[in-house]
Amino acid sequence: TDFSHGGLLMALGLRGHLSALSMTDVYEYLTQGSVTTSVGVLLGMAANRRGSCDPSVSKMLCLHIPSLLPPSFSSIDVAAPAHAAAVAGIGLLYQGSSHRLMTEFLLNEMGRRPVHESSTVDRAAYTVSCGLALGMINLARGGSGNNAGLADLEIEHRLYRYVIGGVDDHSTSRQQDIADRRINGNMGTILENERSSRVYEGDYINHDVTAPGALLALGLIYLKSGNKAVAASLAPPDTHFLLEYVRPDTLMLRVITRSLIMWDDVEPSLEWIEKQIPEVVRQSYLSLETTAKNITTFPILGLDDENKNPLNEEENYIIEMENSNVGMDDENSEEDLRSNNSEKKEEQQQQQKKKKKKDTIAEPQIDADVDRQTIRQIHVYVLAGACFSIGLRFAGTADTRAAAAISEVLLLMKSFRDSNDPVPAALRPEQSIVGMCVGICSVSLALVMAGTGDLDT
């Protein structure tokens, strides 16, 4: 099939075997094959020449990126998967080169507004491809001084702006550049016709689209750098108010990005995983868990901790007293039993009041205005992101501590997905989110145990 053929071509490129193909063979694949075959060829050829900046492969990739074509060819129809694959191939081809033209192009593409209908298709995937390509071109070059020629581009500042949103400081200069291009011939007519009728964005950045790619780019640029300033700027919000302005899945990417930057600080332990959860989220989640447990136990007035019936204890007490006072008069024995019974009731009531007061003080409280579903989503996303960070850090090491920590979180995720118990059911988010987090934790465990053949895992 076309999918298997495309995967085979990509695998051959990753193994370095596509160099045997001539450019005429590649042309036939791109013109006569399907979209999946084109994607396999583009990625395979780029991986085959990874880091070489080969001009012929670069031209082939640029032909599938309309933004790099002359204005008269900018309306050429390119399938969205091939478009994203070509951008990802640029990152592989120029890996570690800090190529200025491609760096500037990818920065602008990440924050580019949709100008025609085709640019709105799979826009989020295209932006992520731009972020990955930008990170690959400047791989581990952040703060090293090796990319001094890119200082005027303000890469870190612009990527951070793409993460948090706001006004794009460089949009004005790009609009001025477009205005200058309109002066040439009928360029103005072409640009006027290329406007999207589906999406309109003003001066503010749509960070829901740009944040994932920008986070991955920052993580790759500052890979293993230990830059605390950049890592601190990506810390999750510490208030419920600020959490409402961040998508929960973006927090997972923030955890992964910070782990890529602070590579040596990643610890293979459950404590480190739980430490990644924001404090406000942890307190709110504990409150939700406590509330769920209290509701599911259905406490009834008059029942103690062991769910025993006080009336049964009273009857047993009377029987014991009657047996011990066989020789006493009936009137005296009844009075003693009643007095002892009343005293025991008072003691039980006082103990129950003290216990209720203690529980009320100890239980964390959650604000009524807090979105509980957001708390559930953030909790599972952050746990999954922390597990994936450990998987990347200890990939192929078969570290028992890392495997144990990830396995424990994986079992928790599976209980959210499969358990019918009321408490996990009250704490889990949507099933689609839980299913994705189960997959992420499974991949993380597979990364740690890769190459070991451990069937038990």
Side-chain angles (χ1 to χ4, degrees), residues 58-110:
S58 178
K59 291 178 182 178
M60 178 189 67
L61 296 173
C62 292
L63 284 175
H64 292 79
I65 304 176
S67 300
L68 291 176
L69 297 177
S72 57
F73 294 92
S74 59
S75 59
I76 189 173
D77 186 18
V78 179
H83 192 184
V87 171
I90 290 290
L92 292 173
L93 186 65
Y94 290 90
Q95 177 183 331
S97 64
S98 295
H99 195 275
R100 180 181 174 87
L101 175 62
M102 293 302 173
T103 300
E104 186 175 5
F105 161 72
L106 292 171
L107 268 177
N108 292 333
E109 281 294 288
M110 290 183 64

Side-chain angles (χ1 to χ4, degrees), residues 68 108 142 257 266 277 348-349 381 389 413 420 427 430 451:
L68 291 176
N108 292 333
T257 301
V266 179
I277 303 174
Q348 289 179 351
Q349 291 177 357
Y381 271 126
S389 301
M413 297 293 180
N420 294 324
L427 296 176
E430 294 84 351

Side-chain angles (χ1 to χ4, degrees), residues 181-198:
R181 292 170 62 190
R182 287 179 178 176
I183 300 175
N184 300 326
N186 61 349
M187 185 62 196
T189 305
I190 295 175
L191 289 176
E192 288 293 337
N193 293 334
E194 291 187 348
R195 288 186 178 181
S196 175
S197 60
R198 298 180 182 176

Side-chain angles (χ1 to χ4, degrees), residues 49-336:
R49 304 292 177 86
R50 180 173 56 90
S52 65
C53 304
D54 186 88
S56 59
V57 180
S58 178
K59 291 178 182 178
M60 178 189 67
L61 296 173
C62 292
L63 284 175
H64 292 79
I65 304 176
S67 300
L68 291 176
L69 297 177
S72 57
F73 294 92
S74 59
S75 59
I76 189 173
D77 186 18
V78 179
H83 192 184
V87 171
I90 290 290
L92 292 173
L93 186 65
Y94 290 90
Q95 177 183 331
S97 64
S98 295
H99 195 275
R100 180 181 174 87
L101 175 62
M102 293 302 173
T103 300
E104 186 175 5
F105 161 72
L106 292 171
L107 268 177
N108 292 333
E109 281 294 288
M110 290 183 64
R112 188 166 177 254
R113 294 344 187 236
V115 293
H116 48 80
E117 305 305 326
S118 60
S119 61
T120 61
V121 180
D122 295 332
R123 185 183 173 200
Y126 178 69
T127 306
V128 171
S129 298
C130 291
L132 288 173
L134 179 61
M136 292 295 292
I137 293 175
N138 299 278
L139 185 63
R141 295 300 182 95
S144 61
N146 297 328
N147 56 350
L150 306 177
D152 60 311
L153 296 179
E154 300 179 347
I155 298 176
E156 295 81 6
H157 172 72
R158 294 182 64 179
L159 289 177
Y160 182 69
R161 180 63 65 182
Y162 288 149
V163 172
I164 64 174
V167 179
D168 191 357
D169 299 332
H170 294 76
S171 61
T172 304
S173 61
R174 290 201 301 271
Q175 291 174 359
Q176 183 63 39
D177 185 30
I178 293 175
D180 295 338
R181 292 170 62 190
R182 287 179 178 176
I183 300 175
N184 300 326
N186 61 349
M187 185 62 196
T189 305
I190 295 175
L191 289 176
E192 288 293 337
N193 293 334
E194 291 187 348
R195 288 186 178 181
S196 175
S197 60
R198 298 180 182 176
V199 179
Y200 174 78
E201 294 180 357
D203 297 331
Y204 287 88
I205 298 172
N206 188 354
H207 63 278
D208 289 337
V209 176
T210 60
L215 287 170
L216 294 176
L218 282 172
L220 293 174
I221 292 174
Y222 287 92
L223 180 65
K224 300 181 182 180
S225 64
N227 193 315
K228 295 182 179 180
V230 177
S233 65
L234 300 177
D238 54 358
T239 63
H240 288 292
F241 178 77
L242 295 177
L243 285 173
E244 292 294 330
Y245 293 89
V246 181
R247 281 174 46 178
D249 57 336
T250 306
L251 292 178
M252 176 181 66
L253 293 176
R254 287 199 185 193
V255 173
I256 297 174
T257 301
R258 295 184 66 196
S259 302
L260 291 175
I261 298 172
M262 308 300 295
W263 185 262
D264 296 330
D265 293 345
V266 179
E267 300 176 3
S269 63
L270 188 61
E271 290 75 14
W272 183 86
I273 294 176
E274 294 177 348
K275 192 188 300 182
Q276 307 309 307
I277 303 174
E279 183 63 24
V280 290
V281 176
R282 189 182 68 83
Q283 292 292 340
S284 299
Y285 187 82
L286 288 177
S287 177
L288 288 175
E289 185 177 12
T290 304
T291 304
K293 290 180 179 179
N294 291 340
I295 293 176
T296 54
T297 52
F298 296 102
I300 303 175
L301 184 62
L303 295 179
D304 57 7
D305 294 338
E306 288 78 19
N307 294 327
K308 295 180 181 179
N309 191 341
L311 297 178
N312 294 335
E313 290 185 356
E314 180 181 347
E315 292 174 357
N316 294 331
Y317 182 77
I318 294 173
I319 293 173
E320 291 177 0
M321 292 300 296
E322 288 179 348
N323 293 333
S324 62
N325 298 319
V326 176
M328 295 179 62
D329 295 335
D330 294 338
E331 296 179 358
N332 294 333
S333 60
E334 290 179 0
E335 292 177 359
D336 294 339

Side-chain angles (χ1 to χ4, degrees), residues 385-424:
C387 289
F388 194 75
S389 301
I390 294 178
L392 292 175
R393 175 65 177 83
F394 296 94
T397 61
D399 190 285
T400 55
R401 296 178 299 166
I406 297 175
S407 298
E408 189 165 349
V409 177
L410 178 58
L411 292 176
L412 175 64
M413 297 293 180
K414 291 181 68 177
S415 69
F416 287 156
R417 185 190 64 181
D418 303 329
S419 177
N420 294 324
D421 188 81
V423 175

